[in-house]
Amino acid sequence: MEITCLHCKHETQLPIEIEFDYFVCPQCFKGHSKHNGILTENEKLSVQGFGFYIPIGKSVVFGETTYWVSNAVLKNDDYGEGWCEYELRSATGNCKYLTEENGNWTLSEAIEFHKDLGRLEVHYNDRDFALFDKGKYQNKSGVGFFDFKISRDNISYKDFISPPYLLSEETEEQHTVVYYGQHIAANEIKKLFQLNAIPSKTKIGMAQPFYFDMSKTITTFCFAAIIILISHMYFYNQSSNQLVYSNNIDLSIGNEREIATDVFELKGPIAPLTIYIKTGVDNSWLATDFSLVNQKTGETAYFSKDVEYYHGYEGGESWSEGSSSEDFNICGVSSGQYQITFKPSRDSSDVNNSQMSIDVYWNESSNWNFMTALCSFVAVSFILFMIKNNYEQRRWSDSDYSPYSKEED
């Protein structure tokens, strides 16, 4: 079907035949009426121009059905908010409606729905829909093929949302139609219609979903925590506290001399290596440098530990600080063959301290890794919840039916 504008001679093509009573040229916005199959120019149908992004006659495929854009209408509500609605028709006469508002897109179609939409919540298709907006709107402008006059006004509407879905009710002269729709990403619209440009997004759409499904995310976190817990319990039961080295060092011959343990083998899951040091420091110190060498990979970890103990009497009171024994952990030591070298160095003025004992244990797996993972899951979930809560507050900020208090907004 091809229509030539009587005013500017622009040709508008629609690959399917449809019945229409009115036509508005998408080039010059001149209105026409059709009577007895004859198209006549009609000044009263001329409407103001507006920016529409999808050309009349453009095709798109949804499922296995091809649709063509038959018209585009600019609508405004009582508050001056505007949106553009495209009517898509198939060769069999089925219609879908593509709506763009503030850069957000929804695709809807009329459904049979006989429930009362006068409430704040509606249940449909196993989902609960909340009232987001209601009022009246007017058709301000339009292009394409119509079976009604563009200049219709005072059409009542109600919008219910359950992102990414929505229910919309429109009532005109006691005739009510309910539409069921779903949000579509702008990039997908651009790809489906092969458009070079689309409107920029300026607000969160009323049916726009959150960046990801929170319920699926929390479920994934829960499954991950359960798997980590089961793994932790298994490895914990498999591990044991192993004494891998013990020795008493004579500091009179071992001071500032490097000492090496025999090569020892660790068998089991990853666990911390704990080193205990005890010595007879008395108003003195003992410093020890360590190195742990993986005999297979050659990987070496260096660390040091000081043992200090001081005490005295001052101002009528005794005091002390430090201790004659210390211990520390080397975390995340896996199974394999290792050797520890260490070099003790005592205070040169301390002639009474001549002994140092050292014990090295490969401990049972601790709860640290599991608790860290669990706390991370909880923290991330809390942060995501706060982000989503803020997202929803911004979505509902312009609605008179927001579930969020003004203080929260």
Side-chain angles (χ1 to χ4, degrees):
M1 184 173 72
E2 183 176 298
I3 301 296
T4 301
C5 176
L6 299 178
H7 181 74
C8 71
K9 308 306 178 184
H10 176 76
E11 295 181 351
T12 302
Q13 295 182 346
L14 194 63
I16 57 176
E17 293 289 334
I18 64 172
E19 295 292 331
F20 68 95
D21 297 317
Y22 307 98
F23 168 74
V24 179
C25 176
Q27 182 72 25
C28 68
F29 290 88
K30 181 62 66 175
H32 303 70
S33 61
K34 188 177 74 169
H35 183 66
N36 294 329
I38 299 176
L39 193 69
T40 59
E41 187 175 341
N42 190 326
E43 290 294 339
K44 291 183 179 180
L45 291 178
S46 297
V47 292
Q48 63 181 352
F50 71 103
F52 61 97
Y53 287 77
I54 306 178
I56 303 301
K58 190 73 172 181
S59 65
V60 65
V61 177
F62 290 113
E64 297 180 354
T65 304
T66 302
Y67 294 83
W68 287 267
V69 178
S70 58
N71 64 56
V73 181
L74 175 65
K75 302 183 177 185
N76 275 69
D77 62 17
D78 295 336
Y79 302 101
E81 294 288 336
W83 63 93
C84 184
E85 182 178 277
Y86 301 86
E87 181 184 74
L88 312 177
R89 289 202 181 194
S90 70
T92 59
N94 292 330
C95 290
K96 289 183 181 292
Y97 301 90
L98 184 64
T99 303
E100 180 273 317
E101 183 177 11
N102 298 316
N104 297 282
W105 300 82
T106 54
L107 182 68
S108 306
E109 59 184 341
I111 60 172
E112 292 291 332
F113 193 84
H114 305 291
K115 294 181 181 180
D116 178 22
L117 288 179
R119 298 168 294 173
L120 294 178
E121 290 188 358
V122 176
H123 188 78
Y124 176 74
N125 204 21
D126 296 327
R127 300 181 71 94
D128 291 320
F129 291 78
L131 179 62
F132 184 86
D133 190 21
K134 70 177 182 179
K136 293 184 179 182
Y137 75 82
Q138 305 83 38
N139 292 330
K140 303 297 290 185
S141 185
V143 293
F145 304 90
F146 301 91
D147 56 5
F148 58 87
K149 289 185 178 181
I150 297 297
S151 56
R152 297 189 303 176
D153 57 11
N154 293 323
I155 303 172
S156 299
Y157 71 93
K158 295 177 184 177
D159 292 327
F160 295 80
I161 64 170
S162 180
Y165 302 98
L166 78 156
L167 282 174
S168 293
E169 178 191 75
E170 293 188 2
T171 303
E172 182 182 17
E173 297 179 353
Q174 307 302 317
H175 178 64
T176 299
V177 181
V178 177
Y179 300 91
Y180 179 61
Q182 181 176 0
H183 177 272
I184 297 183
N187 288 338
E188 186 174 351
I189 291 294
K190 193 173 183 180
K191 180 179 179 181
L192 286 171
F193 288 93
Q194 299 178 346
L195 303 175
N196 294 324
I198 56 176
S200 299
K201 186 177 296 185
T202 58
K203 289 184 178 180
I204 295 175
M206 64 176 176
Q208 180 182 345
F210 189 50
Y211 307 115
F212 46 83
D213 192 318
M214 275 292 292
S215 60
K216 291 183 179 179
T217 301
I218 298 301
T219 300
T220 301
F221 281 175
C222 289
F223 275 116
I226 291 173
I227 292 173
I228 292 174
L229 175 60
I230 293 174
S231 301
H232 170 74
M233 293 177 64
Y234 172 77
F235 288 122
Y236 187 86
N237 291 332
Q238 296 295 315
S239 62
S240 60
N241 207 25
Q242 302 178 36
L243 176 63
V244 297
Y245 179 77
S246 180
N247 197 5
N248 289 316
I249 310 299
D250 185 353
L251 295 177
S252 62
I253 60 174
N255 188 44
E256 298 188 3
R257 180 171 62 90
E258 188 172 85
I259 302 170
T261 69
D262 295 332
V263 175
F264 54 88
E265 185 172 5
L266 305 179
K267 296 181 180 180
I270 295 175
L273 194 71
T274 303
I275 298 178
Y276 296 90
I277 302 172
K278 186 174 182 179
T279 184
V281 289
D282 186 9
N283 282 324
S284 61
W285 53 265
L286 174 73
T288 308
D289 295 325
F290 293 87
S291 62
L292 175 67
V293 183
N294 187 311
Q295 298 298 296
K296 182 178 181 181
T297 64
E299 183 179 358
T300 304
Y302 298 94
F303 41 93
S304 62
K305 193 65 178 178
D306 295 340
V307 181
E308 299 176 290
Y309 177 65
Y310 295 91
H311 62 91
Y313 188 84
E314 184 176 354
E317 294 183 357
S318 60
W319 61 270
S320 66
E321 64 176 3
S323 173
S324 60
S325 62
E326 294 286 348
D327 63 85
F328 61 98
N329 289 334
I330 306 172
C331 298
V333 180
S334 59
S335 60
Q337 292 186 332
Y338 294 88
Q339 185 180 45
I340 297 176
T341 60
F342 56 96
K343 182 179 180 181
S345 177
R346 66 175 178 176
D347 185 349
S348 59
S349 64
D350 186 2
V351 296
N352 295 320
N353 183 22
S354 60
Q355 292 292 323
M356 166 187 168
S357 65
I358 178 171
D359 295 304
V360 181
Y361 288 89
W362 196 41
N363 292 340
E364 295 179 349
S365 299
S366 69
N367 294 323
W368 174 255
N369 291 335
F370 170 72
M371 293 305 298
T372 300
L374 182 61
C375 290
S376 298
F377 289 157
V378 172
V380 172
S381 299
F382 178 76
I383 292 172
L384 293 179
F385 173 80
M386 296 301 294
I387 294 174
K388 187 175 189 301
N389 189 65
N390 177 265
Y391 183 92
E392 292 299 327
Q393 288 184 38
R394 288 186 288 135
R395 182 206 303 281
W396 287 89
S397 60
D398 293 331
S399 173
D400 293 332
Y401 308 95
S402 173
Y404 303 92
S405 66
K406 295 300 182 181
E407 290 77 15
E408 288 179 317
D409 291 341

